[in-house]
Every structure is written in structure tokens, then in C-alpha cells.
Amino acid sequence: MEQSPQIGDRITDKSASPDDSTVRDWIGPKAFGHWAELRKWIEAYYPDVFAPDWLYRGKKRGWSLRYKKSKAFCTFLPEYRQFSVEVVLGAAEREKFEARRYGWRSQLVKLYDEARTYPDGKWLKIAISSAADRHDVTELLSLKRPPPRSRD
């Protein structure tokens, strides 16, 4: 018998990458609103920079949507009834984060401090459930890769 999904479970049917309606049904309409807003933000601030790519990361980790140019930018993690974004901060980004340490929201600093540092950086998994969470992610992404200047 198939077990019903638990909060945080990933989309693991590897037969096809998820489309918007699959993601919306899985993460829920409120989380999908945040998902869509962040995608729009990336498209607006980094036009034609990234081609988001669905990755299947195995039965346990399921599908994720990765934004990458030459280096990883961020990865969207559609989880059952929630949505998280993974951002890896390398040495240069960690220095910039530390320089602004007291300007970040306390929840983000706590997440940063508790994240393990690997050879390629600190992997932050940020749960997105509010506009403030989205703002934290957009600030981190701008720190990681400043948006290109507009060409008007």
C-alpha cells in the first residue's frame, strides 16, 4: 500500500520532470505563489542568464530545479506542502555575508551559523513561507552574483 506523503517529502516519480501544475499540487497554492514570485524575480534581474534545469537527485531527494550558469546560483526544492531554496555560499560570499552579519534577519544568521561548511562552501536550505523569506533569498542571490546593470 502506498504511504501518503509527509510534509517535506520530495517529488520522486522519475518518469518525467514536474511541470507547474504538478509543483503547485505538491507544494500547495501559497508555497507555489512564493515559487512563482522567486522565478519571476530571477527572470527580471538576470534576464537570459539562466536556463533553469530540472534534476533528478535520486529516490530520497527527488526532483529539484537548478539555476546555474558556470557556477550554481540556487536550487528550488519542491517539498510536500512547502518550498525551500538551496543556496551555496563559497568563501568570497561567506566573507560578504559576515561583513553584513548584523543586517540580516536573525533567522537567516542562525541558519547560516548552523550550516556545515564543506570544501565547496556553506549549503543553506531556506524554507520559503513569507515575503520576508523570499527577500532573504533575493538578498543572498544578489550577494552571490550582483544583477547585471540594465542596458537602457
Side-chain angles (χ1 to χ4, degrees):
M1 189 167 105
E2 189 83 11
Q3 192 178 353
S4 25
Q6 303 296 307
I7 301 291
D9 283 356
R10 305 283 179 84
I11 300 172
T12 56
D13 174 6
K14 73 177 196 176
S15 61
S17 58
D19 59 14
D20 278 353
S21 84
T22 303
V23 171
R24 184 184 305 108
D25 291 348
W26 191 254
I27 69 177
K30 185 172 186 252
F32 188 76
H34 296 303
W35 171 282
E37 285 297 317
L38 269 176
R39 290 198 67 183
K40 273 197 290 196
W41 182 87
I42 291 171
E43 215 26 69
Y45 284 85
Y46 302 90
D48 306 317
V49 172
F50 303 105
D53 185 26
W54 280 105
L55 299 174
Y56 185 74
R57 298 160 88 179
K59 188 74 177 145
K60 186 178 175 200
R61 295 171 65 200
W63 287 99
S64 58
L65 185 63
R66 179 178 65 181
Y67 284 82
K68 178 181 177 178
K69 181 80 173 169
S70 55
K71 295 188 329 193
F73 186 56
C74 69
T75 304
F76 284 24
L77 307 171
E79 300 167 318
Y80 189 67
R81 298 296 166 247
Q82 62 188 29
F83 158 49
S84 298
V85 176
E86 196 172 71
V87 179
V88 179
L89 300 179
E93 291 99 3
R94 291 196 311 274
E95 278 181 31
K96 291 177 192 173
F97 185 95
E98 289 292 348
R100 290 178 47 190
R101 174 177 268 283
Y102 299 103
W104 300 103
R105 287 192 319 144
S106 60
Q107 300 94 308
L108 186 63
V109 172
K110 182 177 189 301
L111 189 69
Y112 175 86
D113 288 344
E114 292 172 354
R116 190 164 155 208
T117 304
Y118 294 95
D120 58 348
K122 253 186 196 286
W123 291 59
L124 303 181
K125 180 184 171 201
I126 305 147
I128 310 295
S129 58
S130 68
D133 296 334
R134 270 198 336 260
H135 180 74
D136 284 347
V137 168
T138 60
E139 287 293 303
L140 279 176
L141 294 176
S142 297
L143 173 134
K144 190 172 168 72
R145 181 181 182 135
R149 300 212 186 284
S150 61
R151 302 185 263 298
D152 24 60

PDB file of all heavy atoms in Angstrom, residues 96-114:
ATOM      1  N   LYS A  96      31.414  38.214   2.435  1.00  0.00           N
ATOM      2  CA  LYS A  96      30.423  39.283   2.244  1.00  0.00           C
ATOM      3  C   LYS A  96      29.276  39.134   3.247  1.00  0.00           C
ATOM      4  O   LYS A  96      28.790  40.128   3.791  1.00  0.00           O
ATOM      5  CB  LYS A  96      29.857  39.253   0.817  1.00  0.00           C
ATOM      6  CG  LYS A  96      30.840  39.645  -0.253  1.00  0.00           C
ATOM      7  CD  LYS A  96      30.172  39.509  -1.614  1.00  0.00           C
ATOM      8  CE  LYS A  96      31.140  39.587  -2.762  1.00  0.00           C
ATOM      9  NZ  LYS A  96      30.492  39.282  -4.049  1.00  0.00           N
ATOM     10  N   PHE A  97      28.842  37.885   3.483  1.00  0.00           N
ATOM     11  CA  PHE A  97      27.762  37.640   4.454  1.00  0.00           C
ATOM     12  C   PHE A  97      28.194  38.121   5.826  1.00  0.00           C
ATOM     13  O   PHE A  97      27.451  38.822   6.512  1.00  0.00           O
ATOM     14  CB  PHE A  97      27.401  36.146   4.499  1.00  0.00           C
ATOM     15  CG  PHE A  97      26.221  35.849   5.378  1.00  0.00           C
ATOM     16  CD1 PHE A  97      24.947  35.747   4.844  1.00  0.00           C
ATOM     17  CD2 PHE A  97      26.369  35.677   6.759  1.00  0.00           C
ATOM     18  CE1 PHE A  97      23.854  35.493   5.655  1.00  0.00           C
ATOM     19  CE2 PHE A  97      25.286  35.421   7.579  1.00  0.00           C
ATOM     20  CZ  PHE A  97      24.028  35.328   7.027  1.00  0.00           C
ATOM     21  N   GLU A  98      29.410  37.736   6.222  1.00  0.00           N
ATOM     22  CA  GLU A  98      29.925  38.118   7.545  1.00  0.00           C
ATOM     23  C   GLU A  98      30.038  39.640   7.676  1.00  0.00           C
ATOM     24  O   GLU A  98      29.769  40.191   8.743  1.00  0.00           O
ATOM     25  CB  GLU A  98      31.296  37.473   7.804  1.00  0.00           C
ATOM     26  CG  GLU A  98      31.243  35.982   8.040  1.00  0.00           C
ATOM     27  CD  GLU A  98      30.564  35.583   9.351  1.00  0.00           C
ATOM     28  OE1 GLU A  98      30.323  36.447  10.221  1.00  0.00           O
ATOM     29  OE2 GLU A  98      30.264  34.388   9.497  1.00  0.00           O
ATOM     30  N   ALA A  99      30.424  40.317   6.608  1.00  0.00           N
ATOM     31  CA  ALA A  99      30.556  41.774   6.650  1.00  0.00           C
ATOM     32  C   ALA A  99      29.211  42.441   6.924  1.00  0.00           C
ATOM     33  O   ALA A  99      29.156  43.524   7.509  1.00  0.00           O
ATOM     34  CB  ALA A  99      31.149  42.286   5.335  1.00  0.00           C
ATOM     35  N   ARG A 100      28.136  41.780   6.514  1.00  0.00           N
ATOM     36  CA  ARG A 100      26.783  42.325   6.715  1.00  0.00           C
ATOM     37  C   ARG A 100      26.021  41.573   7.800  1.00  0.00           C
ATOM     38  O   ARG A 100      24.805  41.704   7.906  1.00  0.00           O
ATOM     39  CB  ARG A 100      25.990  42.203   5.407  1.00  0.00           C
ATOM     40  CG  ARG A 100      26.452  43.110   4.324  1.00  0.00           C
ATOM     41  CD  ARG A 100      25.679  42.917   3.028  1.00  0.00           C
ATOM     42  NE  ARG A 100      24.238  42.863   3.177  1.00  0.00           N
ATOM     43  CZ  ARG A 100      23.402  42.519   2.202  1.00  0.00           C
ATOM     44  NH1 ARG A 100      23.859  42.211   1.012  1.00  0.00           N
ATOM     45  NH2 ARG A 100      22.120  42.474   2.406  1.00  0.00           N
ATOM     46  N   ARG A 101      26.712  40.770   8.583  1.00  0.00           N
ATOM     47  CA  ARG A 101      26.087  39.864   9.556  1.00  0.00           C
ATOM     48  C   ARG A 101      24.937  40.493  10.336  1.00  0.00           C
ATOM     49  O   ARG A 101      23.897  39.889  10.521  1.00  0.00           O
ATOM     50  CB  ARG A 101      27.143  39.335  10.525  1.00  0.00           C
ATOM     51  CG  ARG A 101      26.579  38.508  11.665  1.00  0.00           C
ATOM     52  CD  ARG A 101      27.663  37.955  12.551  1.00  0.00           C
ATOM     53  NE  ARG A 101      28.121  36.646  12.165  1.00  0.00           N
ATOM     54  CZ  ARG A 101      27.466  35.519  12.412  1.00  0.00           C
ATOM     55  NH1 ARG A 101      26.320  35.526  13.008  1.00  0.00           N
ATOM     56  NH2 ARG A 101      27.966  34.375  12.045  1.00  0.00           N
ATOM     57  N   TYR A 102      25.117  41.729  10.809  1.00  0.00           N
ATOM     58  CA  TYR A 102      24.096  42.339  11.666  1.00  0.00           C
ATOM     59  C   TYR A 102      22.975  43.005  10.879  1.00  0.00           C
ATOM     60  O   TYR A 102      22.036  43.522  11.463  1.00  0.00           O
ATOM     61  CB  TYR A 102      24.760  43.290  12.677  1.00  0.00           C
ATOM     62  CG  TYR A 102      25.721  42.508  13.541  1.00  0.00           C
ATOM     63  CD1 TYR A 102      27.092  42.582  13.326  1.00  0.00           C
ATOM     64  CD2 TYR A 102      25.248  41.632  14.526  1.00  0.00           C
ATOM     65  CE1 TYR A 102      27.975  41.817  14.082  1.00  0.00           C
ATOM     66  CE2 TYR A 102      26.129  40.865  15.278  1.00  0.00           C
ATOM     67  CZ  TYR A 102      27.484  40.961  15.055  1.00  0.00           C
ATOM     68  OH  TYR A 102      28.334  40.196  15.798  1.00  0.00           O
ATOM     69  N   GLY A 103      23.060  42.946   9.565  1.00  0.00           N
ATOM     70  CA  GLY A 103      21.991  43.478   8.722  1.00  0.00           C
ATOM     71  C   GLY A 103      20.993  42.416   8.285  1.00  0.00           C
ATOM     72  O   GLY A 103      19.934  42.734   7.752  1.00  0.00           O
ATOM     73  N   TRP A 104      21.326  41.148   8.500  1.00  0.00           N
ATOM     74  CA  TRP A 104      20.448  40.041   8.100  1.00  0.00           C
ATOM     75  C   TRP A 104      19.417  39.760   9.192  1.00  0.00           C
ATOM     76  O   TRP A 104      19.657  40.053  10.361  1.00  0.00           O
ATOM     77  CB  TRP A 104      21.256  38.762   7.859  1.00  0.00           C
ATOM     78  CG  TRP A 104      22.299  38.871   6.791  1.00  0.00           C
ATOM     79  CD1 TRP A 104      23.639  39.015   6.974  1.00  0.00           C
ATOM     80  CD2 TRP A 104      22.108  38.823   5.375  1.00  0.00           C
ATOM     81  NE1 TRP A 104      24.289  39.063   5.772  1.00  0.00           N
ATOM     82  CE2 TRP A 104      23.376  38.954   4.770  1.00  0.00           C
ATOM     83  CE3 TRP A 104      20.983  38.695   4.558  1.00  0.00           C
ATOM     84  CZ2 TRP A 104      23.551  38.954   3.386  1.00  0.00           C
ATOM     85  CZ3 TRP A 104      21.168  38.691   3.186  1.00  0.00           C
ATOM     86  CH2 TRP A 104      22.423  38.819   2.613  1.00  0.00           C
ATOM     87  N   ARG A 105      18.317  39.139   8.817  1.00  0.00           N
ATOM     88  CA  ARG A 105      17.328  38.713   9.817  1.00  0.00           C
ATOM     89  C   ARG A 105      17.952  37.623  10.697  1.00  0.00           C
ATOM     90  O   ARG A 105      18.738  36.803  10.213  1.00  0.00           O
ATOM     91  CB  ARG A 105      16.068  38.150   9.149  1.00  0.00           C
ATOM     92  CG  ARG A 105      15.205  39.215   8.515  1.00  0.00           C
ATOM     93  CD  ARG A 105      13.835  38.736   8.104  1.00  0.00           C
ATOM     94  NE  ARG A 105      13.845  37.421   7.499  1.00  0.00           N
ATOM     95  CZ  ARG A 105      12.879  36.513   7.664  1.00  0.00           C
ATOM     96  NH1 ARG A 105      11.834  36.766   8.397  1.00  0.00           N
ATOM     97  NH2 ARG A 105      12.955  35.342   7.071  1.00  0.00           N
ATOM     98  N   SER A 106      17.583  37.604  11.965  1.00  0.00           N
ATOM     99  CA  SER A 106      18.180  36.659  12.918  1.00  0.00           C
ATOM    100  C   SER A 106      17.976  35.198  12.495  1.00  0.00           C
ATOM    101  O   SER A 106      18.860  34.373  12.694  1.00  0.00           O
ATOM    102  CB  SER A 106      17.643  36.894  14.327  1.00  0.00           C
ATOM    103  OG  SER A 106      16.240  36.733  14.354  1.00  0.00           O
ATOM    104  N   GLN A 107      16.817  34.896  11.874  1.00  0.00           N
ATOM    105  CA  GLN A 107      16.571  33.507  11.428  1.00  0.00           C
ATOM    106  C   GLN A 107      17.607  33.073  10.393  1.00  0.00           C
ATOM    107  O   GLN A 107      18.056  31.933  10.399  1.00  0.00           O
ATOM    108  CB  GLN A 107      15.168  33.346  10.795  1.00  0.00           C
ATOM    109  CG  GLN A 107      14.025  33.681  11.682  1.00  0.00           C
ATOM    110  CD  GLN A 107      13.544  35.125  11.527  1.00  0.00           C
ATOM    111  OE1 GLN A 107      14.343  36.058  11.607  1.00  0.00           O
ATOM    112  NE2 GLN A 107      12.258  35.315  11.328  1.00  0.00           N
ATOM    113  N   LEU A 108      17.967  34.008   9.502  1.00  0.00           N
ATOM    114  CA  LEU A 108      18.927  33.669   8.453  1.00  0.00           C
ATOM    115  C   LEU A 108      20.332  33.507   9.042  1.00  0.00           C
ATOM    116  O   LEU A 108      21.064  32.589   8.676  1.00  0.00           O
ATOM    117  CB  LEU A 108      18.921  34.736   7.351  1.00  0.00           C
ATOM    118  CG  LEU A 108      19.785  34.415   6.136  1.00  0.00           C
ATOM    119  CD1 LEU A 108      19.286  33.153   5.421  1.00  0.00           C
ATOM    120  CD2 LEU A 108      19.798  35.586   5.166  1.00  0.00           C
ATOM    121  N   VAL A 109      20.697  34.361   9.986  1.00  0.00           N
ATOM    122  CA  VAL A 109      22.012  34.264  10.629  1.00  0.00           C
ATOM    123  C   VAL A 109      22.117  32.932  11.377  1.00  0.00           C
ATOM    124  O   VAL A 109      23.134  32.241  11.306  1.00  0.00           O
ATOM    125  CB  VAL A 109      22.266  35.466  11.574  1.00  0.00           C
ATOM    126  CG1 VAL A 109      23.547  35.265  12.377  1.00  0.00           C
ATOM    127  CG2 VAL A 109      22.334  36.756  10.769  1.00  0.00           C
ATOM    128  N   LYS A 110      21.030  32.543  12.047  1.00  0.00           N
ATOM    129  CA  LYS A 110      21.014  31.266  12.783  1.00  0.00           C
ATOM    130  C   LYS A 110      21.199  30.105  11.798  1.00  0.00           C
ATOM    131  O   LYS A 110      22.003  29.204  12.026  1.00  0.00           O
ATOM    132  CB  LYS A 110      19.688  31.142  13.542  1.00  0.00           C
ATOM    133  CG  LYS A 110      19.548  29.893  14.392  1.00  0.00           C
ATOM    134  CD  LYS A 110      18.204  29.945  15.144  1.00  0.00           C
ATOM    135  CE  LYS A 110      18.017  28.883  16.175  1.00  0.00           C
ATOM    136  NZ  LYS A 110      18.086  27.522  15.735  1.00  0.00           N
ATOM    137  N   LEU A 111      20.472  30.142  10.697  1.00  0.00           N
ATOM    138  CA  LEU A 111      20.585  29.102   9.670  1.00  0.00           C
ATOM    139  C   LEU A 111      22.019  29.056   9.133  1.00  0.00           C
ATOM    140  O   LEU A 111      22.612  27.978   8.990  1.00  0.00           O
ATOM    141  CB  LEU A 111      19.599  29.402   8.536  1.00  0.00           C
ATOM    142  CG  LEU A 111      19.396  28.356   7.466  1.00  0.00           C
ATOM    143  CD1 LEU A 111      18.680  27.147   8.042  1.00  0.00           C
ATOM    144  CD2 LEU A 111      18.572  28.938   6.326  1.00  0.00           C
ATOM    145  N   TYR A 112      22.577  30.209   8.876  1.00  0.00           N
ATOM    146  CA  TYR A 112      23.952  30.323   8.372  1.00  0.00           C
ATOM    147  C   TYR A 112      24.943  29.732   9.382  1.00  0.00           C
ATOM    148  O   TYR A 112      25.808  28.939   9.031  1.00  0.00           O
ATOM    149  CB  TYR A 112      24.265  31.803   8.098  1.00  0.00           C
ATOM    150  CG  TYR A 112      25.690  32.062   7.693  1.00  0.00           C
ATOM    151  CD1 TYR A 112      26.088  31.947   6.361  1.00  0.00           C
ATOM    152  CD2 TYR A 112      26.646  32.436   8.629  1.00  0.00           C
ATOM    153  CE1 TYR A 112      27.405  32.196   5.982  1.00  0.00           C
ATOM    154  CE2 TYR A 112      27.967  32.682   8.262  1.00  0.00           C
ATOM    155  CZ  TYR A 112      28.328  32.563   6.938  1.00  0.00           C
ATOM    156  OH  TYR A 112      29.628  32.798   6.561  1.00  0.00           O
ATOM    157  N   ASP A 113      24.797  30.127  10.647  1.00  0.00           N
ATOM    158  CA  ASP A 113      25.714  29.656  11.687  1.00  0.00           C
ATOM    159  C   ASP A 113      25.625  28.146  11.884  1.00  0.00           C
ATOM    160  O   ASP A 113      26.619  27.492  12.181  1.00  0.00           O
ATOM    161  CB  ASP A 113      25.445  30.369  13.019  1.00  0.00           C
ATOM    162  CG  ASP A 113      25.905  31.823  12.996  1.00  0.00           C
ATOM    163  OD1 ASP A 113      26.688  32.201  12.098  1.00  0.00           O
ATOM    164  OD2 ASP A 113      25.454  32.581  13.879  1.00  0.00           O
ATOM    165  N   GLU A 114      24.432  27.586  11.726  1.00  0.00           N
ATOM    166  CA  GLU A 114      24.231  26.146  11.950  1.00  0.00           C
ATOM    167  C   GLU A 114      24.592  25.299  10.734  1.00  0.00           C
ATOM    168  O   GLU A 114      24.740  24.082  10.854  1.00  0.00           O
ATOM    169  CB  GLU A 114      22.780  25.871  12.367  1.00  0.00           C
ATOM    170  CG  GLU A 114      22.467  26.427  13.752  1.00  0.00           C
ATOM    171  CD  GLU A 114      20.988  26.336  14.110  1.00  0.00           C
ATOM    172  OE1 GLU A 114      20.165  25.942  13.251  1.00  0.00           O
ATOM    173  OE2 GLU A 114      20.657  26.673  15.263  1.00  0.00           O
TER     174      GLU A 114
END
